[in-house]
Amino acid sequence: MATSTSTVLSIDQGIIEWESAIAQGKFVKRLAFLWMTAGNLAVASGIVAGNLFIDSSAGLGALNVWGNVGFLASLIASSIVWYRCRSNVIEGSVERLKLEAERNALQAAETTSPNTSSAFYFYRESVPGFRDDYRRSAEKYRNRHNLFQLTVIVGSILTSVSTTASAEQGVWSWLAVGLSAIVSISAGIIAYFKFRERSLNLQQTADAIDLEIQAYALRIRRYRDLPPDQAATLFAEEIERLREEQRKKELQLEQPPEAAPQQRPPLSN
């Protein structure tokens, strides 16, 4: 028993180390993506602005050459860094899943009792994974919503400024048109994909699953004074009910507004 416990502890330590490496890899990956998109866009915008506002007699040809070389080198370097970070995150996730499967197998061999089947044990161990998946998806949709919403806000302000400045220089009118198109596209994406609603539904489901996990572990609320087999059955039923409700919410978001069923009051005789 002591040997098995030490093995589980060493596996937990390995999982913690991999989770730390994955978190660090994701952070660097985000920086690389920001560099690959916003950084290179800023460099390209600088090159375009230089061609528009700098006199061609001031050595603009050499500036364009070095600017294009720097832009190409930055684009290649940022793509390589992003791809390597992505590969490291995937590799770390695979190793973590392997360790978690090994730990679950060891714990199942020790803790499975006549009143609780091994199938339920593996199901119970997978429930935190459901919760974490919902939370990660909620964070993903929340970040997308914030990105497009920020694009709409900043783009609207810049469009107004560009429209005002277009009275003096014609280039600002084209900039205003481009910014207006970006704002319209971003607003349309927000309205169609409903990132905020998806994030809210996923976060609510994750929080509800977390409450059920805590209630079952502490034997409180609906699990108070229940035999182990009945508590296990009730726990599994409640988790599956929450997951089924989440699937229904996702299907409702996929339907257009005109496809939603409209309830009409019954006609009175």
Side-chain angles (χ1 to χ4, degrees):
M1 181 66 67
T3 304
S4 178
T5 302
S6 61
T7 303
V8 172
L9 288 176
S10 63
I11 293 175
D12 288 337
Q13 292 174 357
I15 292 175
I16 293 173
E17 292 175 357
W18 278 113
E19 287 180 347
S20 176
I22 291 171
Q24 183 178 1
K26 287 182 177 180
F27 177 74
V28 179
K29 179 185 172 184
R30 294 190 188 100
L31 293 180
F33 182 78
L34 185 63
W35 174 22
M36 186 172 60
T37 54
N40 291 322
L41 181 61
V43 174
S45 300
I47 296 174
V48 174
N51 282 273
L52 290 175
F53 299 107
I54 297 178
D55 188 3
S56 60
S57 62
L60 189 59
L63 180 63
N64 280 333
V65 171
W66 286 108
N68 292 331
V69 170
F71 173 75
L72 184 61
S74 175
L75 183 61
I76 294 175
S78 60
S79 301
I80 292 175
V81 172
W82 178 84
Y83 181 78
R84 287 183 177 178
C85 292
R86 176 178 177 272
S87 301
N88 292 336
V89 169
I90 294 176
E91 180 183 358
S93 300
V94 171
E95 294 297 330
R96 184 192 62 186
L97 291 175
K98 289 180 179 178
L99 290 176
E100 288 178 351
E102 184 178 355
R103 180 192 62 187
N104 292 338
L106 289 174
Q107 291 179 343
E110 294 178 1
T111 60
T112 301
S113 64
N115 295 326
T116 305
S117 64
S118 59
F120 172 75
Y121 176 82
F122 285 112
Y123 176 82
R124 186 186 66 187
E125 291 298 316
S126 65
V127 170
F130 301 153
R131 175 200 60 195
D132 296 338
D133 289 341
Y134 287 140
R135 284 179 174 172
R136 282 191 292 266
S137 299
E139 182 181 3
K140 178 184 68 175
Y141 286 123
R142 183 166 55 251
N143 291 337
R144 290 181 181 179
H145 173 78
N146 293 337
L147 175 62
F148 284 107
Q149 191 66 42
L150 183 63
T151 302
V152 171
I153 295 173
V154 176
S156 299
I157 297 174
L158 294 179
T159 300
S160 301
V161 174
S162 301
T163 303
T164 304
S166 63
E168 300 179 358
Q169 296 185 7
V171 66
W172 289 101
S173 62
W174 290 104
L175 182 60
V177 171
L179 290 172
S180 178
I182 293 175
V183 169
S184 300
I185 292 172
S186 299
I189 290 175
I190 292 174
Y192 181 80
F193 290 101
K194 304 175 182 176
F195 295 129
R196 183 175 180 275
E197 291 80 359
R198 295 177 188 273
S199 174
L200 181 61
N201 291 338
L202 288 165
Q203 188 63 49
Q204 289 176 346
T205 303
D207 293 341
I209 291 177
D210 191 48
L211 289 176
E212 288 300 320
I213 293 174
Q214 297 299 327
Y216 177 78
L218 299 175
R219 290 297 191 273
I220 58 177
R221 297 174 184 165
R222 71 183 79 212
Y223 306 104
R224 185 191 302 271
D225 300 329
L226 287 181
D229 54 344
Q230 293 183 11
T233 302
L234 185 60
F235 175 77
E237 290 178 349
E238 183 63 20
I239 295 299
E240 290 303 310
R241 184 188 66 81
L242 293 172
R243 297 181 66 193
E244 181 63 25
E245 286 185 355
Q246 175 59 34
R247 285 190 288 267
K248 291 180 179 178
K249 292 178 182 178
E250 292 176 357
L251 291 176
Q252 289 176 355
L253 289 176
E254 296 294 336
Q255 295 179 356
E258 60 272 11
Q262 298 180 357
Q263 296 182 355
R264 299 180 179 178
L267 297 176
S268 58
N269 295 328

